[in-house]
Amino acid sequence: MNLTISMPFLLFDSFDYIRQREEEASVLHGGSGTPDEILIQTIQSGICKINVNTEVSISVINYLQHANS
């Protein structure tokens, strides 16, 4: 099982705007497959949590498929 992803479109100016006005942590949903350099920029823009469960799920499925072969 593989993950096919298009390049994410993130509004970093919006992240900065929100960070300056909110006290709550911001979360990026759907971070699976996002290149490292974009994740780093996202963190620098104030995102505190990045959800990447799809990558974890695919790794588990691949492991189980190979373990049972």
Side-chain angles (χ1 to χ4, degrees):
M1 176 177 238
N2 293 316
L3 180 63
T4 304
I5 298 211
S6 59
M7 188 57 112
F9 178 75
L10 301 172
L11 301 170
F12 291 102
D13 291 340
S14 295
F15 296 159
D16 292 332
Y17 179 85
I18 292 167
R19 185 183 73 224
Q20 293 171 8
R21 285 159 182 78
E22 296 294 328
E23 294 181 17
E24 301 297 324
S26 296
V27 177
L28 175 65
H29 294 271
S32 293
T34 303
D36 290 347
E37 60 273 5
I38 293 179
L39 290 177
I40 291 167
Q41 187 177 1
T42 301
I43 293 165
Q44 291 170 340
S45 295
I47 299 297
C48 298
K49 180 182 179 210
I50 301 171
N51 292 338
V52 292
N53 189 55
T54 301
E55 290 173 339
V56 173
S57 297
I58 289 173
S59 294
V60 170
I61 290 169
N62 286 335
Y63 174 81
L64 293 173
Q65 287 175 337
H66 290 96
N68 290 326
S69 332

